[in-house]
Amino acid sequence: MKPNFKGRDIIDINDFSKEELLFVLETAKEFDPDYLKRSKRSNYTIAQGEIAALLFFEPSTRTEQSFRSAAQKIGMGVIGFNDLTLTSMHKGETFTDTIRIMESYSNVLIIRHPEAGSAKKAADIASIPVINAGDGPNQHPTQTLLDLYTILKQFGRLDNLKVALVGDQKHYRTMHALSIALFKFSGNQIFGISPKGLEMPAEFKHANYQDLPIDMNKLNETLAKLKPDIIYAGRIPKEYMKEDTKKYSYHINKQTLAVLPKNCVIMHPLPRVDEVDPEVDSSPKAIYFTQARNGMYVREALLGLVLGRI
Ligand code: CP
């Protein structure tokens, strides 16, 4: 039976079964020009008359703009804010009242917020679907869906993959959720290559996850031994850390490319700072810009599904 997403909140990747993940990814293909020849869907009117409210309490480029684009591509109107100084919260209005007001003007709330648990809090207040667009250092489930979509498109499978998460496992929400999601598929091995002290929190670990804390100057040596199918790199998110983050910095560059297996790809949720050198961008291994683009197709599908229009 087809999974029913109508009216559903998208808060935590743990809430998805493997079948539901695959269903969302298969639906996303119907919005992707690379698969469009097979699609019979007329996409531009799917959600006509519906309104998406984008509540961005924290900066974003990809998530906000791809949701904005996705909503409009399926016929929705878009409202919202990304600058609190231009809202009545600047005058002291509460989070709860803001959610109540915004739900009365829209059909789905998409929220990014610096505090873990804030999307769940919004979902408890609102009676329309709430989509977590990143809640502090906790999770970013739509990023995980687009990461899975990118892997599926690249490898034709989501199982039996060796994945090296590289960077800060402790605070990096997309690594938390990707690791959990890949555990739902068989035979995946996940390695968390991090500076010492930035290992994966216990609540996101599982039987197929292994911490590899290293001196990040030894990254290329470690990757050469590991021979991963996927490197999933991430920025060191200094906004969630009090200490000087320079000591944690690392670099993926041409020397790194030279030690990787032929079919290994490099993913990154972006934004990057200096952890992936732009000299890597022209390599066929670098798929992070395609990954970001895939987010739009996944978000088109997800909006259509939670609104019950697909
Ligand atoms: N990947 C991601 O969430 O990027 P933004 O912070 O720009 O939305």
Side-chain angles (χ1 to χ4, degrees):
M1 204 172 63
K2 191 173 122 173
N4 183 8
F5 280 89
K6 186 175 177 183
R8 191 162 149 180
D9 300 315
I10 308 296
I11 304 297
D12 184 327
I13 208 71
N14 280 308
D15 298 338
F16 285 77
S17 67
K18 174 180 158 182
E19 291 68 32
E20 287 172 334
L21 289 172
L22 287 170
F23 177 69
V24 174
L25 306 186
E26 286 303 315
T27 306
K29 286 184 182 172
E30 298 180 26
F31 298 89
D32 183 339
D34 287 346
Y35 297 97
L36 269 187
K37 280 186 195 135
R38 282 193 267 145
S39 170
K40 293 183 185 66
R41 192 182 295 287
S42 165
N43 293 329
Y44 299 103
T45 55
I46 287 174
Q48 215 160 36
E50 309 268 12
I51 301 289
L54 293 161
L55 317 182
F56 276 68
F57 295 81
E58 192 188 57
S60 164
T61 298
R62 274 145 295 274
T63 312
E64 182 182 351
Q65 302 308 329
S66 66
F67 260 120
R68 198 173 275 281
S69 177
Q72 291 178 79
K73 283 177 75 185
I74 62 168
M76 300 180 74
V78 178
I79 62 170
F81 55 78
N82 55 18
D83 179 350
L84 295 194
T85 65
L86 300 178
T87 73
S88 285
M89 276 175 286
H90 196 56
K91 296 180 256 175
E93 187 163 40
T94 63
F95 178 83
T96 301
D97 284 359
T98 303
I99 298 298
R100 281 195 183 131
I101 295 302
M102 294 307 286
E103 82 157 318
S104 71
Y105 300 152
S106 59
N107 306 97
V108 55
L109 299 178
I110 298 156
I111 179 167
R112 169 169 291 193
H113 196 285
E115 282 169 33
S118 49
K120 169 78 172 63
K121 192 173 160 195
D124 290 343
I125 298 163
S127 54
I128 61 174
V130 172
I131 299 179
N132 181 1
D135 62 330
N138 185 35
Q139 279 207 36
H140 190 353
T142 67
Q143 176 71 43
T144 308
L145 288 166
L146 79 88
D147 293 341
L148 293 176
Y149 182 79
T150 303
I151 295 170
L152 186 61
K153 205 169 158 181
Q154 183 72 24
F155 290 91
R157 65 179 201 276
L158 286 169
D159 52 15
N160 297 309
L161 293 161
K162 194 187 265 193
V163 182
L165 306 176
V166 179
D168 175 3
Q169 316 302 318
K170 187 174 175 182
H171 305 95
Y172 212 70
R173 58 194 174 201
T174 72
M175 305 227 190
H176 299 166
L178 181 61
S179 174
I180 291 168
L182 286 170
F183 188 50
K184 293 176 191 278
F185 297 86
S186 61
N188 291 323
Q189 297 171 269
I190 321 294
F191 297 89
I193 302 177
S194 70
K196 292 184 180 80
L198 297 183
E199 293 90 344
M200 186 71 85
E203 67 266 34
F204 300 115
K205 286 187 184 173
H206 51 70
N208 294 355
Y209 176 87
Q210 190 183 327
D211 276 321
L212 285 181
I214 61 162
D215 169 350
M216 293 306 264
N217 293 320
K218 305 243 166 74
L219 177 61
N220 291 355
E221 264 172 72
T222 308
L223 290 171
K225 277 192 210 135
L226 195 62
K227 298 185 177 34
D229 299 301
I230 298 168
I231 292 174
Y232 189 95
R235 182 174 64 88
I236 305 293
K238 59 183 179 195
E239 64 273 30
Y240 302 129
M241 298 157 89
K242 290 193 178 80
E243 67 267 46
D244 181 6
T245 54
K246 279 201 195 95
K247 63 184 174 193
Y248 299 130
S249 69
Y250 71 93
H251 304 287
I252 290 175
N253 51 26
K254 279 200 170 152
Q255 284 76 47
T256 315
L257 289 177
V259 304
L260 298 179
K262 185 166 174 278
N263 293 324
C264 176
V265 294
I266 302 171
M267 297 175 64
H268 191 308
L270 305 176
R272 65 177 154 185
V273 182
D274 58 0
E275 60 282 356
V276 181
D277 195 298
E279 70 184 9
V280 173
D281 296 357
S282 56
S283 164
K285 293 185 184 312
I287 61 168
Y288 28 86
F289 289 111
T290 307
Q291 182 186 352
R293 183 167 179 82
N294 289 339
M296 193 168 56
Y297 313 131
V298 170
R299 288 168 176 136
E300 283 177 76
L302 203 56
L303 287 169
L305 287 169
V306 299
L307 291 168
R309 296 292 195 112
I310 294 177

